[in-house]
Amino acid sequence: MASANIRSLAATVLLFAAILFVELFGIPGANLTHAQEITAAILIVAAVLWVSEWVSLFVVSFLILALEIVWLLPAFNELSTTPIKTNVFFSPFFSNIILLFLGGFVLSSLMQKYGLDIRFAQMILRRTKGLPSMTLLGIIIACSFLSMWISNTATTAMMLTMVFPLIKKIPDENPFRKALVLCIPFACNLGGIGTPIGTPPNAIALTYLTQHGYTVTFAKWMALTMPFMIVFLLILWQMLVRLFPAGDLRLEVPERHTGKFGVKHWAAVAVFTITALGWFFASKLGLATGTVGLFPVIVCFWFGLLSTKDFRDLPWDVLYMVSGGLALGVALNVTGLGEVLISALPLNGSPFILLLITAAVAGLMSTVMSNTATAGLVIPLVMNLPFENEFILALVVALALMCSMAMALPVSTPPNAIAFSSRAIKSKDMILTGGLITIAGYICVAFIGPPYWEFIISIMGV
């Protein structure tokens, strides 16, 4: 309790110190308008609070919104010839992306309530027949597939619970125990890059691309990212098999789930299938993906597949955390601070050098802070770069992927933290394996990504 109070006090001191400093002295040495100085202060305060986690991450989002309305908006409208209203900052909190995530969270709750996720995962495990390397691959496939559609954090928690009885049967001295634990968060992190709803950085990337006139459908995103996801999963599998060999170990397969598959289970499957198809064909139907996300929300609660309690238990903190990042991007855009920051980057070099620099920055930031916050900070900065549309799209996809592939520390992502809390692995195990994956991801994104994405864009258009 005392520690929590100290962290809250530190956050309060930081907030008021930033406000007083900017109002009294501005930002010395920077040629910024007062609105841009305020936006920079909000950005710095949010970044420090996101990294330090002195207060809950969703609270930072509400702080961003409050500061934008009561501090930034009056200062901006005082000098601007085109004043803006508060709804500019409110809109990210109920945007198309938030509805998309809400639909994904409802599907996640639906799959967990009717045991569809466990049935699917156990089906994978049964097919591996106790062979350690194949069981490891089966768990990786199950985790990555589920993470393409539902929360990475929820998938990690569910899969770790299901696999832990298997882990307990492995002798302590056998290093393969660590492989089974590490594969779950890493596969969940990597699986999230495969679909627009897989992880918040994808949603942030899609939001900015859509706002700037790019057409990235559900299917096009999968075409851009799925090959990388498959390659990284294979790298993860082989890396874990070699770093943590099983020896002569033979695994026991858990018993099959024997619950009755009734009408509501089939209804849940139907809702999942229709929603997934809706996301695939949303552009052809003339619907936004967020609009499709309303379907499972309405149907599940209308017909009693989910209860009001299930609605209350949805991860609302994640939704508001994403919203705060989007609201911060709005402030960077309307005040022009994003363009000022971009002008400080080495843009005179080649686009390739820029990609190397920004991808490295995104990877480093995501290693020590929220992937969502990193995407919210970095992606808006590159949207107005004076490059061809094809390169901007490739750059944004590269940054979104790097945000999800930085996983060297227990604090890098919530799935990492959950796996580390199991006490079956040490931080050095995660640093070694996660660091290697991050480096491999950076090399693939920087050197293989641009020509591949250019090929896909030439086929599917921008």
Side-chain angles (χ1 to χ4, degrees):
M1 179 63 74
S3 176
N5 289 336
I6 291 174
R7 292 198 300 270
S8 300
L9 180 61
T12 306
V13 171
L14 169 71
L15 173 62
F16 284 100
I19 294 174
L20 285 175
F21 188 87
V22 169
E23 288 299 325
L24 294 176
F25 307 108
I27 298 182
N31 186 23
L32 301 175
T33 65
H34 188 48
Q36 289 171 342
E37 291 175 337
I38 293 173
T39 303
I42 296 174
L43 175 66
I44 293 170
V45 169
V48 172
L49 294 180
W50 271 327
V51 173
S52 64
E53 297 189 47
W54 287 337
V55 294
S56 300
L57 297 183
F58 71 92
V59 176
V60 181
S61 293
F62 286 111
L63 176 65
I64 292 171
L65 178 63
L67 292 175
E68 287 177 342
I69 292 173
V70 303
W71 189 23
L72 173 61
L73 190 64
F76 180 83
N77 286 342
E78 185 178 347
L79 300 176
S80 176
T81 55
T82 55
I84 57 176
K85 297 182 178 179
T86 54
N87 57 7
V88 171
F89 300 118
F90 277 124
S91 57
F93 283 73
F94 203 74
S95 61
N96 177 63
I97 295 301
I98 297 303
L99 287 177
L100 173 66
F101 263 72
L102 181 60
F105 288 152
V106 169
L107 283 184
S108 171
S109 178
L110 188 68
M111 292 182 73
Q112 291 178 51
K113 183 166 185 174
Y114 292 98
L116 300 180
D117 46 4
I118 294 178
R119 288 172 185 270
F120 173 79
Q122 289 185 335
M123 179 184 68
I124 295 293
L125 290 176
R126 287 199 312 275
R127 294 178 182 278
T128 63
K129 298 179 180 178
L131 295 173
S133 63
M134 296 309 297
T135 300
L136 185 68
L137 179 61
I139 294 172
I140 288 174
I141 292 173
C143 289
S144 58
F145 178 81
L146 292 171
S147 292
M148 290 169 64
W149 310 101
I150 65 178
S151 160
N152 298 348
T153 305
T155 304
T156 301
M158 184 271 294
M159 288 297 295
L160 196 62
T161 302
M162 194 188 70
V163 172
F164 222 74
L166 190 66
I167 297 171
K168 286 182 177 178
K169 295 181 180 178
I170 303 175
D172 291 343
E173 63 275 12
N174 193 308
F176 193 71
R177 285 169 55 95
K178 296 179 179 178
L180 282 181
V181 176
L182 287 169
C183 79
I184 294 173
F186 292 165
C188 289
N189 293 334
L190 294 174
I193 70 177
T195 63
I197 62 169
T199 183
N202 297 359
I204 292 173
L206 280 174
T207 298
Y208 285 107
L209 288 171
T210 303
Q211 289 175 352
H212 286 73
Y214 295 85
T215 303
V216 182
T217 62
F218 207 96
K220 185 185 290 184
W221 180 272
M222 293 186 71
L224 292 168
T225 60
M226 278 287 286
F228 289 89
M229 186 193 80
I230 294 171
V231 169
F232 294 143
L233 290 174
L234 292 175
I235 292 175
L236 171 65
W237 175 44
Q238 287 301 310
M239 187 182 297
L240 292 175
V241 167
R242 283 164 172 72
L243 289 176
F244 308 102
D248 299 328
L249 182 69
R250 188 79 174 184
L251 298 171
E252 296 182 24
V253 182
E255 294 182 2
R256 182 178 180 178
H257 184 83
T258 55
K260 183 180 178 182
F261 205 87
V263 175
K264 287 195 173 184
H265 292 81
W266 285 112
V269 171
V271 170
F272 182 89
T273 304
I274 292 172
T275 306
L277 290 174
W279 278 327
F280 271 108
F281 299 108
S283 61
K284 295 186 181 299
L285 298 173
L287 298 173
T289 51
T291 307
V292 176
L294 290 173
F295 172 75
V297 179
I298 296 172
V299 170
C300 289
F301 294 101
W302 187 297
F303 292 100
L305 294 174
L306 294 174
S307 65
T308 304
K309 180 182 181 303
D310 296 321
F311 187 76
R312 291 171 180 157
D313 290 340
L314 294 177
W316 295 102
D317 56 328
V318 177
L319 282 178
Y320 288 119
M321 192 171 68
V322 175
S323 302
L326 296 176
L328 188 58
V330 170
L332 286 167
N333 186 38
V334 297
T335 62
L337 180 61
E339 296 180 10
V340 174
L341 294 175
I342 289 168
S343 65
L345 292 175
L347 300 181
N348 295 329
S350 69
F352 175 68
I353 298 297
L354 179 69
L355 189 148
L356 288 180
I357 295 172
T358 53
V361 170
L364 289 172
M365 290 176 65
S366 290
T367 300
V368 296
M369 61 182 285
S370 160
N371 295 349
T372 304
T374 301
L377 292 172
V378 177
I379 291 177
L381 300 181
V382 304
M383 287 307 305
N384 294 317
L385 288 173
F387 295 122
E388 295 179 352
N389 288 347
E390 291 82 357
F391 180 75
I392 293 295
L393 190 147
L395 183 58
V396 172
V397 173
L399 294 179
L401 263 57
M402 277 309 303
C403 288
S404 297
M405 288 187 294
M407 55 184 85
L409 298 175
V411 298
S412 296
T413 68
N416 281 20
I418 291 174
F420 187 73
S421 68
S422 70
R423 301 183 185 277
I425 55 174
K426 296 181 178 178
S427 58
K428 65 179 183 181
D429 302 320
M430 186 167 280
I431 290 172
L432 171 64
T433 317
L436 290 174
I437 294 173
T438 304
I439 294 171
Y442 177 72
I443 294 173
C444 288
V445 165
F447 295 95
I448 302 175
Y452 171 73
W453 292 322
E454 184 178 348
F455 170 71
I456 293 297
I457 293 169
S458 67
I459 297 174
M460 305 183 73
V462 178

